[in-house]
Amino acid sequence: MNIVILAAGTGKRMRSALPKVLHPLAGRPLLAHVIDTARTLEPTRLVVVIGHGADAVRTAVAAPDLQFAVQEQQLGTGHAVQQALPLLDSSVPTLVLYGDVPLTRASTLQRLCEGAGHDGYGVLTVTLDNPAGYGRIVRDAAGKVERIVEQKDATPEQQAIREINTGIVAMPTARLQAWLAALKNNNSQGEFYLTDVVEMAIDAGIDIFTAQPDDEWETLGVNSKQQLAELERIHQRNVADALLVAGVTLADPARIDVRGSLECGRDVSVDVNCVFEGRVTLADNVSIGPNCVIRNATIGAGTRVDAFTHIEGAEVGAQAVVGPYARLRPGAALADEVHIGNFVEVKNAVIGRGSKANHLSYVGDSEVGTRVNIGAGTITCNYDGANKLRTVIEDDVFVGSDTQLVAPVRVGRGATIAAGTTVWKDVAEGVLVMNDKTQTGKQGYVRPTKKKG
Ligand code: UD1
Ligand code: CA
């Protein structure tokens, strides 16, 4: 089948310079969600109709399986589909989706397409308590669809109809050429309505098939920031429900945000206010404390991530402890049983099994062996103002507190660095290294006191 996604509209009510369909839901453009769903139906042609902000939209979603049709002026939904027509395969049906309706289930679309069949006409409808603003489904006494009337063109009796047109339709493509060319814009909005094709199909002897979604939110569109926020919450609640069904413990399903994919093993628990972005994998028995942000990361089995930890582009092994208040930046690779504590930042560094940096340290561009203890206030001075340089700390090294390791530098296996040492030369295996410093004392020292008046 062909799929056409309408995305040319302006979206004035968003009050934003960004084209409406590029506003993010769960961290990705609205349109990207629609394209994802479309792809699961394996269309032979996938066409996005763009207009308002065409270049930005094209750049944001371009992919080899996508084609774009430009609608220079937004003259209506019928006119929009007409722009896509030359790109469609006329031997298979066409499904029309909206770029600003992001949460439709693929199974719902499947049902619509199956019901419409190869030559039929299918409309996805929904019955709303408040149908204001939508096109109404007008049926005859036998319940057959007769036409769709836009709110602005509807009589008071028609306005009382609660079954509405979601806008999502499946149509026989070969007929569209003639039907769309015959559309007139002599209506209250002066637009070429795709909905007027319904009567043409009926005249051609086609019964209109209708399908309904399982949930109303599947057909909700975004026209304002309020609606965007509402759909974001619905989507996040759906994601949370899926996690709960999969056996994940969530302290509060209303306080987790997943902007990407979150894969969890068994007995994973997530405390409140955590944000997951990109691809995140949590293995069995991982527990995530409150207020963590985790982006593009893999966390090994049994690892505990404590409160307020920020992890990005990192890999953490099993049985590790990270946080509270830890920061793992891209390229951090922690082996099993590593402990990274409060106010420790790790960037582009491999840390071996059982090693610990529990307090106030920066470990960057480094290779740290196994069972290394990194004392509080240790800093790898990895930047000379122009280049990033590497620090190597071999197995079983003890790094005393307040140590600076001036890269490039290597500390040999089992070495001990005394507290307060600046290490700017390589340290041989097993030695104790310290800087020459003297400690002097001053007897009878009196601290200054505050002067009065
Ligand atoms: C349309 C339907 C209405 C339905 C409603 C559901 C028509 C005539 N009306 O109304 O029956 O209840 O959707 O939300 O079809 N678009 C273009 N080019 C255009 C016009 C629109 O690409 O020239 C795109 C918009 O970007 C949007 C979609 O089509 O994604 C729907 O447009 P919108 O203006 O919201 O349609 P409505 O008038 O609300
Ligand atoms: Ca609309």
Side-chain angles (χ1 to χ4, degrees):
M1 104 183 98
N2 307 293
I3 296 184
V4 175
I5 302 174
L6 304 188
T10 52
K12 268 195 219 98
R13 280 192 281 153
M14 298 298 279
R15 297 184 186 283
S16 166
L18 192 66
K20 178 166 76 173
V21 293
L22 295 188
H23 281 264
L25 180 117
R28 300 178 62 231
L30 290 168
L31 179 58
H33 291 269
V34 182
I35 292 170
D36 278 357
T37 308
R39 283 189 177 124
T40 66
L41 301 174
E42 298 179 348
T44 45
R45 308 276 170 88
L46 181 49
V47 180
V48 181
V49 180
I50 53 179
H52 179 77
D55 290 341
V57 176
R58 194 197 294 265
T59 308
V61 299
D65 63 337
L66 275 188
Q67 288 180 284
F68 295 93
V70 180
Q71 186 192 25
E72 299 288 355
Q73 279 184 294
Q74 282 72 63
L75 302 179
T77 48
H79 180 258
V81 173
Q82 202 173 21
Q83 310 313 303
L85 215 48
L87 299 173
L88 304 183
D89 174 356
S90 60
S91 68
V92 292
T94 295
L95 173 68
V96 174
L97 305 176
Y98 287 0
D100 55 3
V101 178
L103 300 182
T104 321
R105 285 193 182 99
S107 56
T108 297
L109 299 174
Q110 201 88 51
R111 211 158 59 229
L112 175 69
C113 293
E114 275 162 21
H118 192 269
D119 301 307
Y121 199 107
V123 181
L124 187 69
T125 75
V126 66
T127 301
L128 300 178
D129 289 337
N130 176 14
Y134 291 99
R136 307 297 205 283
I137 307 294
V138 181
R139 293 179 184 268
D140 66 14
K144 277 191 181 178
V145 173
E146 279 184 330
R147 56 185 294 224
I148 299 174
V149 189
E150 291 306 295
Q151 160 97 15
K152 288 179 180 154
D153 304 299
T155 63
E157 299 85 77
Q158 287 168 339
Q159 288 192 14
I161 297 170
R162 287 168 47 233
E163 186 186 9
I164 64 101
N165 170 35
T166 65
I168 295 174
V169 287
M171 302 176 290
T173 312
R175 308 277 205 141
L176 278 180
Q177 182 95 38
W179 287 344
L180 295 175
L183 284 178
K184 297 202 168 61
N185 64 349
N186 55 350
N187 49 54
S188 66
Q189 303 187 83
E191 287 184 7
F192 296 98
Y193 291 165
L194 182 61
T195 44
D196 286 348
V197 170
V198 164
E199 286 161 89
M200 299 180 192
I202 293 168
D203 286 345
I206 296 173
D207 278 343
I208 307 299
F209 169 81
T210 56
Q212 283 75 38
D214 293 326
D215 289 291
E216 205 176 289
W217 48 255
E218 290 185 62
T219 64
L220 297 179
V222 172
N223 298 300
S224 65
K225 287 288 173 92
Q226 287 101 313
Q227 289 170 335
L228 180 62
E230 232 172 82
L231 286 198
E232 178 76 36
R233 284 307 101 206
I234 291 167
H235 173 73
Q236 292 301 344
R237 185 62 214 218
N238 291 343
V239 171
D241 283 341
L243 290 169
L244 292 169
V245 168
V248 177
T249 299
L250 300 179
D252 182 354
R255 282 185 289 169
I256 174 172
D257 283 71
V258 180
R259 302 171 191 154
S261 74
L262 174 60
E263 233 177 89
C264 295
R266 285 176 83 95
D267 296 304
V268 165
S269 76
V270 179
D271 212 323
V272 299
N273 295 332
C274 291
V275 178
F276 297 90
E277 299 185 332
R279 296 176 76 88
V280 176
T281 305
L282 308 178
D284 295 351
N285 297 302
V286 164
S287 90
I288 308 291
N291 301 296
C292 293
V293 176
I294 304 183
R295 179 182 303 145
N296 294 321
T298 305
I299 313 284
T303 287
R304 209 177 78 218
V305 176
D306 286 335
F308 294 97
T309 290
H310 194 286
I311 298 179
E312 175 177 12
E315 263 173 60
V316 179
Q319 307 298 333
V321 180
V322 182
Y325 296 98
R327 180 166 184 213
L328 305 184
R329 290 173 51 202
L334 280 44
D336 297 348
E337 294 163 35
V338 164
H339 290 195
I340 299 296
N342 40 236
F343 309 107
V344 174
E345 175 180 345
V346 180
K347 185 215 74 172
N348 189 29
V350 176
I351 300 194
R353 185 178 189 120
S355 290
K356 295 178 180 157
N358 275 327
H359 331 269
L360 298 157
S361 291
Y362 173 59
V363 182
D365 302 305
S366 301
E367 207 175 294
V368 177
T370 59
R371 295 175 306 275
V372 169
N373 188 81
I374 295 178
T378 296
I379 294 183
T380 54
C381 310
N382 59 330
Y383 187 52
D384 62 7
N387 306 294
K388 295 284 168 62
L389 303 156
R390 290 194 72 76
T391 298
V392 178
I393 302 172
E394 295 182 355
D395 297 346
D396 298 300
V397 165
F398 180 94
V399 182
S401 297
D402 192 25
T403 290
Q404 300 95 52
L405 296 138
V406 183
V409 72
R410 170 180 291 267
V411 181
R413 176 185 294 264
T416 302
I417 301 171
T421 302
T422 301
V423 180
W424 66 81
K425 285 186 281 191
D426 287 359
V427 178
E429 274 186 27
V431 308
L432 166 66
V433 66
M434 65 191 83
N435 299 143
D436 286 334
K437 289 185 186 175
T438 52
Q439 176 170 321
T440 54
K442 199 170 168 184
Q443 282 294 344
Y445 173 69
V446 179
R447 280 191 221 155
T449 52
K450 225 174 192 153
K451 295 196 174 68
K452 286 194 185 108

